[in-house]
Amino acid sequence: MTDTVNELAGDAALPFVLTARGPQCAPAGDWNSWLALGGRGSGKTRAGAEWVRFGALFGGLRSIALVGPTLHDVRETMIDGVSGLCQIARPGEAPPVYESSRRRLVWPNGAVAQAFSSEDPDSLRGPQFDAAWCDEVAAWKRDKDTFEMLQLGLRLGRHPRAVITTTPRRTPLIRQLMSEGGVAVTRSATRDNAEYLSPAFISHIEARMGGTRLGRQELEGEFLEAEDGVFWTRAMLLAARAGRPPPQLGDIIVAVDPPVSIGDSADACGLIAAGATNAAGGGVQFWVLEDATLQGKSPAVWAEAAVTLAVRLGASRIVAEANQGGELVRSVLRSGGCDVPIQLVHARLSKTARAAPVIALYERGRVSHAGQFAELEEEMLQFGSSGMQGSPDRVDALVWAITTLETATGRQPSIRQLW
């Protein structure tokens, strides 16, 4: 972006200047990229949108790239979202118009912003820009390829620049940006923007993640110095070993992570039983009851094992990941004599993203193990590290079990006698 944008962010943008916090304003200096790290709801999207708006209207920008995790994210968050470019026009100011057929946003003065997805780096071949806004790069599918292709297109104007707004995670691109020269870094926390957030949201999210490493990342916007992210530690697992669970649990489920093949070299069928009960100090305590994972067995065998476990423990339902088999997973379980309700779940996030909230529960002491599960715990310690070999089937089933129980804690479950 031209230096004019930083120099003149005054009268025309006065309403935002009066309400913006320091980390929401472009840093001073001769930077090429502004990396705005922020917690959930910290106002980083608004900062990126305001930077683009001012540049398009008053900073001389004519060709801008808008890059998000997907095209849907660009449209729903960066353009039409509550802090998006079409929502922040000042009173009396004509907002830009989105031309869906050409995937571009056009301002009345002729400035144009084009939408791109991190799923398709090659779409950035050819176009050229004088600025770019990259949102949630921590969730980009092909992050380094997309960013490198974008850099080749930032070749217009006196000083083309990019603003990068994201919740920090230790992804390849963010690691690269944190160590590069010419990158200005700002940070903001969720609570810093509390004036514009629901008090119920603040209370809930801090109760769930406050005081954890995940909370430092997702709420404080902190870049964690740990290999590949936030995972289980041996200290967490030692603290979780609690022996015999309480005699009554409010809900029990069996979670299944089905394999797609059989044989000695096939993935295991993750099979974990877990329950939930009211904790002494309030809230809910989760219990890992059994690890009945099977390796190399046919669908008939693991389905029968899942049903037997569910019946023996009095489980309210069997939860099974259905990304690979779909309704076939339900049919296999039914053929194994299952009369217990079956809930199919579909993985839309990465394994590490799905595991992160569960890891936070362990860190807060909210998950207990009914004994020592050596193979499960070893897989948990390797999860996400460079030493991880094969598929984390036990961990996948564990994550589905705890996540499903936590989602259901607002219901009124029946009481089941366990021992």
Side-chain angles (χ1 to χ4, degrees):
M1 180 177 292
T2 62
D3 290 339
T4 307
V5 175
N6 284 336
E7 293 167 359
L8 298 183
D11 293 345
L14 189 59
F16 184 68
V17 168
L18 288 177
T19 60
R21 306 185 314 278
Q24 290 182 295
C25 299
D30 192 31
W31 48 269
N32 297 318
S33 296
W34 167 24
L35 179 58
L37 301 177
R40 302 291 182 93
S42 62
K44 55 188 182 295
T45 300
R46 181 65 183 270
E50 290 287 351
W51 186 82
V52 171
R53 169 194 169 270
F54 187 82
L57 293 179
F58 310 106
L61 298 183
R62 308 304 294 169
S63 179
I64 306 161
L66 304 177
V67 191
T70 67
L71 287 173
H72 177 80
D73 293 318
V74 175
R75 180 72 186 270
E76 296 300 316
T77 301
M78 303 172 73
I79 294 175
D80 289 335
V82 66
S83 297
L85 289 163
C86 285
Q87 304 299 322
I88 61 171
R90 306 297 187 262
E93 175 186 309
V97 175
Y98 185 67
E99 299 176 352
S100 58
S101 62
R102 303 183 67 179
R103 296 205 305 261
R104 70 177 196 171
L105 195 66
V106 181
W107 278 266
N109 67 357
V112 175
Q114 295 175 260
F116 298 92
S117 165
S118 71
E119 298 174 318
D120 185 14
D122 285 340
S123 65
L124 286 158
R125 291 182 181 273
Q128 53 187 355
F129 316 100
D130 45 21
W133 174 21
C134 307
D135 192 47
E136 291 298 352
V137 299
W140 282 15
K141 298 291 192 301
R142 300 176 61 185
D143 56 354
K144 294 190 73 171
D145 290 344
T146 301
F147 195 74
E148 290 303 322
M149 197 63 68
L150 174 64
Q151 299 310 296
L152 295 174
L154 283 169
R155 54 181 184 260
L156 297 180
R158 185 158 57 93
H159 191 176
R161 288 176 161 180
V163 59
I164 304 159
T165 53
T166 186
T167 303
R169 285 176 53 214
R170 200 170 172 79
T171 65
L173 178 55
I174 295 182
R175 288 200 300 266
Q176 171 186 317
L177 291 169
M178 292 290 288
S179 62
E180 274 189 1
V183 178
V185 180
T186 60
R187 295 178 173 83
S188 56
T190 300
R191 181 159 282 281
D192 295 341
N193 204 39
E195 180 181 353
Y196 302 99
L197 301 174
S198 163
F201 167 78
I202 295 289
S203 176
H204 170 74
I205 205 72
E206 289 188 344
R208 182 175 182 181
M209 295 184 181
T212 69
R213 287 176 59 82
L214 182 64
R216 288 165 55 195
Q217 172 180 286
E218 299 292 322
L219 303 182
E220 303 300 323
E222 184 177 340
F223 182 72
L224 296 173
E225 295 291 345
E227 183 184 358
D228 294 330
V230 188
F231 303 112
W232 284 279
T233 66
R234 193 168 297 278
M236 286 185 204
L237 300 186
L238 288 174
R241 294 177 189 169
R244 194 176 183 87
Q248 292 181 328
L249 292 172
D251 195 9
I252 297 172
I253 67 170
V254 169
V256 183
D257 180 49
V260 296
S261 59
I262 62 175
D264 293 339
S265 61
D267 292 337
C269 174
L271 192 53
I272 299 291
T277 187
N278 292 329
V284 177
Q285 187 71 18
F286 304 98
W287 282 84
V288 180
L289 303 174
E290 289 194 30
D291 174 13
T293 298
L294 297 170
Q295 200 279 326
K297 302 300 182 182
S298 68
V301 172
W302 58 252
E304 183 179 356
V307 173
T308 300
L309 182 62
V311 172
R312 176 163 58 82
L313 296 181
S316 65
R317 59 204 178 283
I318 294 176
V319 175
E321 182 177 318
N323 280 52
Q324 301 294 337
E327 284 296 324
L328 180 61
V329 175
R330 191 193 305 273
S331 298
V332 170
L333 288 167
R334 289 295 184 212
S335 67
C338 183
D339 293 326
V340 178
I342 299 170
Q343 177 182 343
L344 299 183
V345 290
H346 298 268
R348 293 180 174 84
L349 302 174
S350 68
K351 292 179 184 294
T352 53
R354 296 198 307 272
V358 177
I359 295 169
L361 290 173
Y362 272 86
E363 194 170 3
R364 295 175 66 84
R366 297 270 308 281
V367 183
S368 298
H369 287 193
Q372 181 177 348
F373 305 113
E375 292 176 302
L376 171 62
E377 291 180 6
E378 183 60 31
E379 191 170 280
M380 294 167 76
L381 291 172
Q382 292 185 23
F383 180 75
S385 72
S386 56
M388 182 73 200
Q389 296 182 351
S391 177
D393 309 294
R394 299 172 194 269
V395 168
D396 282 345
L398 169 74
V399 168
W400 284 123
I402 301 300
T403 300
T404 304
L405 285 167
E406 187 188 30
T407 303
T409 51
R411 304 172 187 168
Q412 297 298 320
S414 58
I415 300 297
R416 290 173 173 78
Q417 188 74 31
L418 188 58
W419 279 288

